Amino acid sequence: MNIPPAWRHSLSALLIPLSLLVSSSALADAELPAYTGDATDIALLDNGLRLQGDGVESPDGVTSGFRLTAGFSPRGLPRLDIGAEVRYRESDDVPVSVAARDTLLDTTSLGGSLLAGVRLGHLGLYAKSGLAGWQGHAAGGNPDLPEGGTTRVNGFGARLSFASWVSRLEVERVDDPTLSHLNMVTASIHMPF
């Protein structure tokens, strides 16, 4: 691969600080799992199991719900995080188009995913995969619109913590085109004070 000379300086400027951040021995391992953002700790058990919860809301206010996450880091592999997530989402008056007919759809979904992540200093990377069951009701009774089913949910994300700041980026995709309103890209910066 031939990288143009003008890009080499920009790439070097980005890669050097990132590699220092990840490999620096001055940065201690983060105690939180890779998939944790600004979720609220509900319980931390003696065996290392951490239970967390947070609310889910789309920017347009159409979808709301919650998610609960339970996970731990195996004792022999302190940088590996394993967990499970349960999500409940409810959406009202979502515009959808099926067979050239526009209609409004109300959906309720309940899903679960398995999570796996790795921590490299203060950088955490993770992936998730699971299933979601859903039910829907179309305003006007569109017969071409399915009223429920099961679909796959996949996602990945990254968390970077530095001092008291925690930034997080997550992408989550639902495979069913009827539920495309549940596809989310979320980014957050959390600074406790």
Side-chain angles (χ1 to χ4, degrees), residues 67 126 128 156-158 168-172 184-187:
R67 72 174 140 198
Y126 64 95
K128 63 177 158 181
F156 61 90
R168 183 175 186 219
L169 174 67
E170 181 176 287
V171 176
E172 187 174 85
M184 291 192 174
V185 175
T186 55

Side-chain angles (χ1 to χ4, degrees), residues 35-177:
Y35 46 79
T36 299
D38 54 357
T40 303
D41 278 335
I42 296 173
L44 179 59
L45 303 179
D46 291 339
N47 63 1
L49 183 69
R50 180 182 299 266
L51 182 62
Q52 296 178 320
D54 62 342
V56 175
E57 188 168 341
S58 63
D60 57 7
V62 170
T63 302
S64 62
F66 65 88
R67 72 174 140 198
L68 294 173
T69 307
F72 69 99
S73 298
R75 291 182 192 213
L77 303 166
R79 295 180 184 213
L80 179 68
D81 300 312
I82 299 170
E85 176 183 86
V86 175
R87 288 174 313 283
Y88 173 81
R89 293 185 191 161
E90 189 173 306
S91 304
D92 295 322
D93 297 333
V94 177
V96 293
S97 180
V98 175
R101 291 180 61 189
D102 293 333
T103 188
L104 296 176
L105 178 67
D106 297 336
T107 61
T108 302
S109 70
L110 178 64
S113 296
L114 295 177
L115 302 161
V118 64
R119 285 177 278 150
L120 307 166
H122 285 271
L123 176 66
L125 303 171
Y126 64 95
K128 63 177 158 181
S129 183
L131 295 172
W134 67 279
Q135 292 182 335
H137 174 70
N142 186 342
D144 298 327
L145 197 61
E147 293 185 358
T150 304
T151 185
R152 282 193 61 78
V153 177
N154 296 308
F156 61 90
R159 177 185 53 81
L160 180 63
S161 59
F162 188 73
S164 62
W165 294 67
V166 177
S167 60
R168 183 175 186 219
L169 174 67
E170 181 176 287
V171 176
E172 187 174 85
R173 183 178 181 280
V174 179
D175 280 345
D176 193 320

Side-chain angles (χ1 to χ4, degrees), residues 6-20:
W7 290 12
R8 288 183 189 157
H9 298 294
S10 298
L11 287 174
S12 297
L14 290 173
L15 291 176
I16 291 172
L18 183 60
S19 64
L20 289 174

